[in-house]
């Protein structure tokens, strides 16, 4: 690393100004004469000799070191060489490119250093790194790690030396890694290994290894010794303020560690070089032995509270006693109850030490001053001002105030405490004479109003009466208010506060009835809305009931007028909420919900926005069909009509209006809608809509499929007729598990009762709370008859019997598999009958049934039917190629599950054959049997992995087989021109994916290299026709787009002189962009760098008509440009900047105003004054006149400015600029004997710094 200083005449003069005046003998130039140049010795003082430097470092010899500080270069440069064999990236063809260049860029960005790479003749890599020292070192480490191949080595040093390699906070290790450009891995403390691993270049590893071994060698010279010394003698060894041990450490160079008094350890640890350590141990032992012989102890009692005074701050008092008397004082620990203090020392000095101990103990005292607790803060003063006066005078006194206690504790030197006590007692006496306090009870509900907005009321009272008022926080719910201060002020403040409270108690309270459902809305999110109301009516207290109380009463309290205003405001707010919270429910068939929502929620969003309503749809997995609309009544009705019209358009939905007297509506609906819900469910889920209660309308609307609507209409009219004549209702109870048995399969039993009696029987719905209740409605005699029949059925169900039947054990598994699903279904269907099969492993065929007699008989019959099915069960094979199995199963096996349910069969798919390989060898016989399963399949027969097995009744199996075969996908081919394939696929396959999802098929487009026009569509037969039609429709669209593209590809060329091109393009392309957008064309200008391309041709692409219109627009601009003229104006170059203005703002304004183009000469132009103005003749003339006027105005300023500059220039600059002679000195070494220049290769004439040179008398400096 080297730094070069270039000496110029100016820099030399600046440098010389730092020298002592006596040492500077430089001639001063003036306008008249020139004195002699300085001598060589004066200008270049000789360097000090080496001996002189060694004699006295504090007195530097020679003029060089008097004033001039050494300059240290902040930027350094280092060159690293990576040999060819160690280069990580050896690609010779890509030097400066690829991974190596990327790594260098990363290193430069990360470290801030500058890297330059060069390739030597031997293909080694030279890297020059420049920057600050820290950056260069980091860059070097990165270069070695990332551009040079890495090696690794291990070095073993004792485990206890590892910490010295790491250094404090790992600093030494980091420094070592930077210096050697290696990675050093030291094993963890819990790892027994002593091997240190070094990774890096060979050179770096050697350096690092050497450094690690050096550190270890240094530690080998050191030793550690432990000496047991009684804890009581540690203070004598340490000496007062640790001086004695410090002297020993300094003299011997050994580190001595004495455990602190708080640690119970007795051993003293010595660390250092062996010889010096032995000396230190000997000296400590000697002190210990002496003290052990000479010292004795005495024990004295000192109050526990005075121990801290004996110890002193940071133990200083103990050290002080030790220093003065040589006696050690042992104080019991703070957690001990002992008051005994032990003094240890020479007998003649114990008396003096004891006196000092008692003096220290009694030097401090504790006292207390009686002062009422409410006065404490007045004694302390604002921000502790009063107390600060006392503590500044007596800093050793500690004053403590305890909250709730009527005393102040003082602690410190006796004299100071007495003075402080007097002062505080005086303050207390004065405060008691002139201060008073009073406590008043005011309901905490009024505290907010006493305080006022932003504390306005309470602050006024405090300032007016010069008192302090303490109001408890709301969280305490306390009524006690305390007033403190001047007795008269306290009484006045009390009077005013009580008056305010009395006035509030007499204020009006009003209860406002607001439905609880609106409370949260009125309060708003985080109480924002209620805060606004309270700010609007600050004197009114608004209390909302607790949500748990389910109360509608909101209480307002405050001045009568304000309460009235607030009431009206809140009533209006509630009226708006009521108007906007009108809600209607619209029953819509579940299958049409997705159409009402629309793609991506488009339909429902549009209805919501246009009707300004909130529309809630039931969850997808919910059984509810009701859509709830909330908002203003008119808006809700409009939204309802739109939703119903969507349903009507989508399906053959009939709507019938039935006139039923309004007075019968409630009885027809039934309790919680049970009666009407029963009719709706019975008639295929039709929707029956009754008019709003109180509207007076008799019209009931029935909506649904035509046949179901008619059925519902008849039932509704029949029920209404019954209600009008004489309606009778009876409730009976039956266990919920009996309901299914009472209803019967497909509702057969209950329909029989209805038909025979004419009564209507309503069972509870799943959401009803009372699941036992069955309601019978109709004429009294019909209801009684139905009641009798149902009660007989229920009684028979309650009559529990136990029966058994025989079932072949081979069928048992069918009933108990899948966690007894078949048995569960039987229990649900037949009144909760319990069926018990014998345990597995026993060969019993006895099955026990327990339940109601009828249920047991029905269950036995059902089990027998299942057994007959199992007996009649056959197995049918259905051969479907394995590749179609997943498609046949459907998503999550849904298709197979549906077939299983529909045909009551079991379907088993074969195991998947991963890699079918045809076997060439014959089947092997084992134990004399033919390996039947290993036999080769007959030609043309299906593979085992293709066969699906269906089990069940024969006719059901055949039907299931047909259903399975119908699910096998079929492939058809559609001819689509090859050039359209990429458009059908779409961006990233989006187009084809959309069609596949829409038609539920797979579409296979041939690979581009096949150039085939055939696209294959695979899917279910039902979907193929739709998919084919959709694909052909898309082809038509694409062909139409192609034709359109062909029409848009019309090209038209326009010949325009290149000099007009910039004007046609416009500033930032504004003009040409407008033409492109206006005529929907693409306009291409010639490439200036292409010599083969005609430079005057502009190409326009688009529809023929549009290109012609764009051409006319361009030619119109050209015509205008051809009418323009250009004139050169001589304009003084000194005013150009003023005319152009900041960032060209002024000149742009002129060009816009006069509709011209003004061009100024570039720097270095032959005529710097020539300005060109282009535009229409009349505009050019006006613009020239304007800029010439500006020139005249600005030139006058320039001339004035230059005239002033003449007077402001210093005289030194006015001298004639004669050619510089450079820096001249007299009596230079090269002029002493001859005129020859010094020999630069001579070590005598140019000696190296610090080198031994023969003492020869030379002109380089005086001989010393």
């Amino acid at each position: 690393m080297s730094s070069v200083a270039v000496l110029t005449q100016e820099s030399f003069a600046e440098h010389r100004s730092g020298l002592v005046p006596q040492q500077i003998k430089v001639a001063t130039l003036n306008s008249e004469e020139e004195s002699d140049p300085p001598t060589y010795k004066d200008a270049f003082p000789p360097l000090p000799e080496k001996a002189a430097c060694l004699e006295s470092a504090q007195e530097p010899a020679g003029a060089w070191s008097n004033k001039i500080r050494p300059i240290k270069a902040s930027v350094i440069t280092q060159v690293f060489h990576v040999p060819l064999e160690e280069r990580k990236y050896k690609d010779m063809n890509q030097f400066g490119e690829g991974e190596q260049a990327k790594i260098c860029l990363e290193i430069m960005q990360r470290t801030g250093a500058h890297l330059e790479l060069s390739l030597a003749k031997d293909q080694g890599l030279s890297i020059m790194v420049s920057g600050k020292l820290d950056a260069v070192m980091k860059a070097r480490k990165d270069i070695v790690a990332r551009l040079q191949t890495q090696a690794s080595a291990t070095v073993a040093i004792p485990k206890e030396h590892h910490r010295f390699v790491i250094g404090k906070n790992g600093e030494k290790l980091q420094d070592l890694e930077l210096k050697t450009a290696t990675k050093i891995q030291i094993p963890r403390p819990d790892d027994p290994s002593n091997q240190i691993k070094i990774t890096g270049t060979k050179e770096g590893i050697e350096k690092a290894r050497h450094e690690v071994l050096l550190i270890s060698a240094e530690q080998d010279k050191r030793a550690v010794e432990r000496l047991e010394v009684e804890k009581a003698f540690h203070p004598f060894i340490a000496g007062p303020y640790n001086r004695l041990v410090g002297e020993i450490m300094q003299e011997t160079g050994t580190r001595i560690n004495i455990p602190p008094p708080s640690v119970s350890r007795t051993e003293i640890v010595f660390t250092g070089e062996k010889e010096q350590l032995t000396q230190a141990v000997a000296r400590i032992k000697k002190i210990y032995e002496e003290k052990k012989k000479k010292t004795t102890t005495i024990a004295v009692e000192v109050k526990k509270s005075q121990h801290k005074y004996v110890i002193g701050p940071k133990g200083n008092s103990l050290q002080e006693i030790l220093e003065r008397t040589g006696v050690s004082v042992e104080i019991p620990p703070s957690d001990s109850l002992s008051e005994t203090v032990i003094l240890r020392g020479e007998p003649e000095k114990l008396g003096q030490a004891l006196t000092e101990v008692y003096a220290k103990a009694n030097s401090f005292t504790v006292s207390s001053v009686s002062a009422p607790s409410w006065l404490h803060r007045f004694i302390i003063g604002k921000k502790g001002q009063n107390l600060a006066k006392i503590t500044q005078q007596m800093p050793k006194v500690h004053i403590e105030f305890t909250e709730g206690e009527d005393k102040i504790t003082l602690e410190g030197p006796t004299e100071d405490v007495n003075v402080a006590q007097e002062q505080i007692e005086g303050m207390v006496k004065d405060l008691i004479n002139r201060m008073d306090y009073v406590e008043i009870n005011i309901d905490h509900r009024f505290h907010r109003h006493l305080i006022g907005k932003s504390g306005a009321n309470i602050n006024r009272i405090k300032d007016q009466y010069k008192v302090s008022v303490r109001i408890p926080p709301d969280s305490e719910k306390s009524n006690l208010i305390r007033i403190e201060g001047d007795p008269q002020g306290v009484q006045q403040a009390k009077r005013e506060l009580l008056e305010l409270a009395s006035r509030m108690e007499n204020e009006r309270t009003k209860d406002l009835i607001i439905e609880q459902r609106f409370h949260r809305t009125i309060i708003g999110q985080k109480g924002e809305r209620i805060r606004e109301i309270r700010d609007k009516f600050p004197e009114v207290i608004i209390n909302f009931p607790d949500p748990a109380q389910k109360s509608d009463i909101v209480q307002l309290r405050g001045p009568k007028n304000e309460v009235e205003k607030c009431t009206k405001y809140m009533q209006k707010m509630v009226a708006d909420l009521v108007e906007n919270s009108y809600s209607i429910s619209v029953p819509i068939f579940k299958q049409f919900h997705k159409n009402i929502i629309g793609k991506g929620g488009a339909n429902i969003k549009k209805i919501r926005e246009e009707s300004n309503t909130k529309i809630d749809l039931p969850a997808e997995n919910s059984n509810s069909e009701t859509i709830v609309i909330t908002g203003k009544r008119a808006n809700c009705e409009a939204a309802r009509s739109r939703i119903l019209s969507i349903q009507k358009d989508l399906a053959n939905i009939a709507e019938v209006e039935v006139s039923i007297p309004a007075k019968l509506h409630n009885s027809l609906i039934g309790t919680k809608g049970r009666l009407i819900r029963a009719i709706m469910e019975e008639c295929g889920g039709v929707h029956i809509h009754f008019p709003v209660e109180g509207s007076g309308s008799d019209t009931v609307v029935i909506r649904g499929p035509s046949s179901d609507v008619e059925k519902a209409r008849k039932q509704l009219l029949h029920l209404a007729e019954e209600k009008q004549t004489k309606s009778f209702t009876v409730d009976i109870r039956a266990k919920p598990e009996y309901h299914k048995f009472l209803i019967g399969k497909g509702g057969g039993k209950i329909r029989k009762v209805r038909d025979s009696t004419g009564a209507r029987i309503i069972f509870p719905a799943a959401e009803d709370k009372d699941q036992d209740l069955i309601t019978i409605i109709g004429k009294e005699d019909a209801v009684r008859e139905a009641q009798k029949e149902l009660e007989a059925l229920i009684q028979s169900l309650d009559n529990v019997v136990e029966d058994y039947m025989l079932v072949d054990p081979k069928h048992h598994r069918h009933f108990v598999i899948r966690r007894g699903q078949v048995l569960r279904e039987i229990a649900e269907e037949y009144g909760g009958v319990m069926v018990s099969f014998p345990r597995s492993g026993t060969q019993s065929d006895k099955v026990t049934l327990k339940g109601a007699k009828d249920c047991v008989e029905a269950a036995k019959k059902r089990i027998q039917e299942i057994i007959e099915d199992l007996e009649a069960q056959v197995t049918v094979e259905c051969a479907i190629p394995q590749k179609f199995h997943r498609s046949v199963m459907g998503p999550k096996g849904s298709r197979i599950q549906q077939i299983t349910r529909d045909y009551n069969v079991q379907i088993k798919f074969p195991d998947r054959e991963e890699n079918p390989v045809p076997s060439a060898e014959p089947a092997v016989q084992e134990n004399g049997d033919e390996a039947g399963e290993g036999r080769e399949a007959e030609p043309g027969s299906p593979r085992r992995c293709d066969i699906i097995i269906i089990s069940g009744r024969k006719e059901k199996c055949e039907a299931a087989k047909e259903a399975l075969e119908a699910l096998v996908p079929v492939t058809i081919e559609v001819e689509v021109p090859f050039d359209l394939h990429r458009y059908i696929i779409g961006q990233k396959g989006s187009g084809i994916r959309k069609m596949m999802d829409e038609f539920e098929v797979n579409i296979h487009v041939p690979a581009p290299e096949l150039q085939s026009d055939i696209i294959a569509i695979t899917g279910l037969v039902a979907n193929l026709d739709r998919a084919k039609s959709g694909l052909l429709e898309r082809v038509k669209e694409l062909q139409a787009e192609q034709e359109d593209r062909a029409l848009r590809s019309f090209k038209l060329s326009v010949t325009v002189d290149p000099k007009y091109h910039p004007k046609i393009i416009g500033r930032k392309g504004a003009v040409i962009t407008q033409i492109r957008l206006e005529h929907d064309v693409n306009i291409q200008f010639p490439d200036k760098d292409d010599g083969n391309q005609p430079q005057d041709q502009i190409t326009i692409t688009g529809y023929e008509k549009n290109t012609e219109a764009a051409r006319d627009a361009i030619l119109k601009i050209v015509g205008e440009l051809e009418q323009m003229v250009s004139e050169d104006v001589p304009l003084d170059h000194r005013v150009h900047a003023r005319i152009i203005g900041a960032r060209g703002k002024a000149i742009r304004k002129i060009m816009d105003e006069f509709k011209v183009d003004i061009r100024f000469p570039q720097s270095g132009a032959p005529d710097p004054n020539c300005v060109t103005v282009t535009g229409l003749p009349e505009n050019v003339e006006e613009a020239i006149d304007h800029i010439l006027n500006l020139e005249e105005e600005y030139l006058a300023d320039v001339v004035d400015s230059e005239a002033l500059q003449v007077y402001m220039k210093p005289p030194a600059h006015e001298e004639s600029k004669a050619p510089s002679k450079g820096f001249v000195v007299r009596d230079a070494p090269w002029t002493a004997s001859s005129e020859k220049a010094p020999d630069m290769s001579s070590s005598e004439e140019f000696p190296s710094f610090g080198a031994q040179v023969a003492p020869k008398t030379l002109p380089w400096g005086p001989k010393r």
Side-chain angles (χ1 to χ4, degrees), residues 942-1061:
R943 295 181 305 161
R944 186 180 291 105
C945 62
D946 294 341
I947 295 169
I948 299 166
I949 296 167
I950 308 166
S951 304
R953 282 187 175 271
K954 188 174 181 182
E955 62 277 11
K956 299 278 187 184
C957 287
E958 292 298 334
K961 183 180 178 182
E962 286 177 19
L964 279 175
E965 286 171 345
L967 292 174
V968 176
V970 179
T971 302
I972 60 167
E973 293 180 345
V974 182
E975 193 170 338
V976 176
F978 172 73
D979 57 336
L980 297 180
H981 287 192
R982 62 196 183 98
Y983 302 112
I984 285 165
I985 293 167
Q987 193 175 15
K988 293 182 181 178
S990 59
I992 201 158
R993 207 160 41 243
K994 186 184 173 186
M995 289 174 75
M996 283 159 68
D997 292 345
E998 188 180 343
F999 302 118
E1000 296 179 16
V1001 293
N1002 182 40
I1003 301 173
H1004 177 71
V1005 179
E1009 56 268 17
L1010 297 176
Q1011 300 278 315
S1012 172
D1013 291 345
I1014 303 300
I1015 290 179
I1017 306 173
T1018 306
L1020 301 181
V1021 178
N1023 298 336
L1024 287 178
D1025 289 338
R1026 285 193 311 117
K1028 183 178 179 181
S1029 304
L1031 182 60
L1032 293 174
E1033 192 66 38
R1034 179 67 180 140
V1035 168
K1036 282 181 188 175
E1037 287 175 17
L1038 291 171
Q1039 284 173 340
E1041 284 175 17
Q1042 265 190 336
E1043 288 172 15
D1044 185 59
R1045 269 199 298 277
L1047 291 171
R1048 286 179 66 91
S1049 305
F1050 181 77
K1051 286 191 178 181
L1052 185 68
S1053 292
V1054 188
T1055 304
V1056 176
D1057 195 319
K1059 69 180 180 182
Y1060 297 132
H1061 289 189

Side-chain angles (χ1 to χ4, degrees), residues 210-262:
H210 175 69
E211 291 289 337
V212 169
L213 289 172
L214 268 181
I215 292 165
S216 181
E218 276 178 29
Q219 297 308 316
D220 276 337
K221 294 178 188 173
R222 301 175 73 80
V224 176
E225 192 167 328
R226 289 174 170 79
L227 180 65
E228 288 288 336
V229 175
E230 286 178 52
K231 189 80 180 173
F233 293 96
H234 285 191
F236 298 113
I237 290 163
Y241 302 104
N242 290 326
R243 283 185 200 139
L244 182 57
V245 77
E247 284 171 17
I248 296 169
M249 283 164 69
Q250 196 171 359
E251 286 171 19
T252 61
T254 305
R255 187 178 170 194
I256 303 169
N257 184 15
I258 300 173
S262 57

Side-chain angles (χ1 to χ4, degrees), residues 872-884:
Q873 186 168 303
V874 296
T875 300
V876 173
E877 291 184 351
C878 177
I880 295 174
Q882 190 186 39
K883 63 181 178 179
F884 298 129

Side-chain angles (χ1 to χ4, degrees), residues 1121-1193:
L1121 291 170
E1122 284 174 345
Q1123 290 177 12
M1124 291 183 182
V1125 294
S1126 285
E1127 281 195 34
D1128 292 340
V1129 188
L1131 205 65
D1132 196 305
H1133 66 276
R1134 291 175 293 176
V1135 300
H1136 286 191
R1138 287 281 299 276
I1139 291 169
I1140 292 167
R1143 296 183 182 179
K1145 195 174 178 182
I1147 198 67
R1148 271 201 303 278
K1149 189 178 177 184
I1150 296 167
M1151 290 196 292
D1152 291 344
E1153 188 181 338
F1154 295 100
K1155 294 183 177 56
V1156 293
D1157 182 59
I1158 303 171
R1159 299 281 169 194
F1160 285 83
Q1162 293 181 343
S1163 58
D1167 185 358
N1169 298 330
C1170 183
V1171 175
T1172 306
V1173 184
T1174 308
L1176 295 172
E1178 60 274 17
N1179 294 350
V1180 169
E1181 284 178 20
E1182 287 177 15
I1184 289 171
D1185 289 345
H1186 180 72
I1187 59 174
L1188 287 173
N1189 289 338
L1190 289 175
E1191 180 199 24
E1192 191 177 338
E1193 183 185 330

Side-chain angles (χ1 to χ4, degrees), residues 54 110 290 469 479 493 616 631 716 739 876 894 939 974 995 1014 1028 1081 1084 1125:
L54 292 171
R110 203 174 68 78
E290 279 179 14
V469 183
N479 297 338
D616 294 316
L716 199 59
H739 292 188
V876 173
S894 57
V974 182
M995 289 174 75
I1014 303 300
K1028 183 178 179 181
V1081 293
Q1084 193 70 36
V1125 294

